[in-house]
Amino acid sequence: MTDEKLYELVCNVSKEIFGKDFLHRAFFNKRLRSTGGRYMLRTHDIEVNPLVFEKHGMEELVGVIKHELCHYHLHIEGKGYKHRDADFRELLKRTNSPRFCSTLIERNKQVRASKYTYQCVKCSLLYNRKIRLNTKKFRCGKCLGELFLIPLEKLK
């Protein structure tokens, strides 16, 4: 889908659902990562993440457009356009617009393995860390013993 077709779709949805004209720009923004779209307060433009259409199809895209148009029309009219405002929530319900879009990015559920393991000289407590720490500056939290780095070869 092109930016021109997106603009036409936004204009059509605005006219059909809200009964009002959309007078600004609408376009895809590939740099959006975790959000489906956004309404720009200063320019009144609407940006949409292209992954919404690619991953979830036309129905989800129309949902994101309706959500952003709720922000747009309320802001233009000087009413509460923010997510927490009663005007916004009421317009979402009236237009059957989604509050959130579907997940666009897959979260990495694996916990990163720690690169460094330290052991206390006194109580032998192990500390796993992602970032190297200064053993002259830090001590054991349990007994204040000195810490030393255990080489990776000994851990395997």
Side-chain angles (χ1 to χ4, degrees):
M1 178 176 267
T2 63
D3 286 345
E4 292 79 24
K5 288 188 179 183
L6 176 67
Y7 175 75
E8 287 175 26
L9 182 62
V10 171
C11 289
N12 291 339
V13 169
S14 181
K15 198 70 165 167
E16 290 172 19
I17 306 289
F18 297 87
K20 300 172 186 172
D21 290 327
F22 178 73
L23 305 172
H24 294 84
R25 296 183 321 145
F27 52 91
F28 286 111
N29 184 349
K30 292 178 185 176
R31 291 174 307 213
L32 295 178
R33 289 279 173 233
S34 59
T35 184
R38 69 178 172 191
Y39 165 64
M40 307 300 284
L41 291 173
R42 289 191 179 151
T43 60
H44 305 294
D45 295 339
I46 291 177
E47 298 178 352
V48 178
N49 189 335
L51 289 177
V52 172
F53 182 66
E54 291 170 18
K55 285 192 169 189
H56 301 289
M58 185 60 79
E59 189 175 328
E60 184 74 20
L61 178 63
V62 170
V64 169
I65 290 169
K66 288 193 312 189
H67 178 99
E68 299 310 326
L69 282 171
C70 288
H71 289 296
Y72 173 80
H73 289 300
L74 289 170
H75 184 244
I76 296 288
E77 294 168 8
K79 296 180 181 175
Y81 61 88
K82 295 178 183 174
H83 286 113
R84 66 179 175 267
D85 294 331
D87 291 333
F88 181 75
R89 290 183 183 217
E90 193 269 319
L91 187 58
L92 280 179
K93 284 180 187 171
R94 225 175 357 143
T95 58
N96 198 22
S97 302
R99 180 110 161 82
F100 305 103
C101 73
S102 300
T103 306
L104 297 172
I105 55 174
E106 301 300 320
R107 301 270 183 208
N108 188 0
K109 298 204 178 183
Q110 288 181 334
V111 178
R112 279 191 259 154
S114 56
K115 292 182 182 178
Y116 304 101
T117 302
Y118 297 89
Q119 188 171 24
C120 176
V121 173
K122 283 186 184 176
C123 67
S124 301
L125 186 67
L126 292 173
Y127 292 91
N128 294 315
R129 295 290 179 264
K130 295 176 188 172
I131 300 171
R132 194 174 177 113
L133 57 91
N134 183 354
T135 55
K136 295 195 182 350
K137 186 176 177 182
F138 293 95
R139 296 277 186 159
C140 175
K142 183 177 176 186
C143 69
L144 298 177
E146 199 174 315
L147 299 176
F148 70 95
L149 178 65
I150 299 175
L152 286 174
E153 298 84 43
K154 286 189 177 180
L155 291 173
K156 293 179 182 177

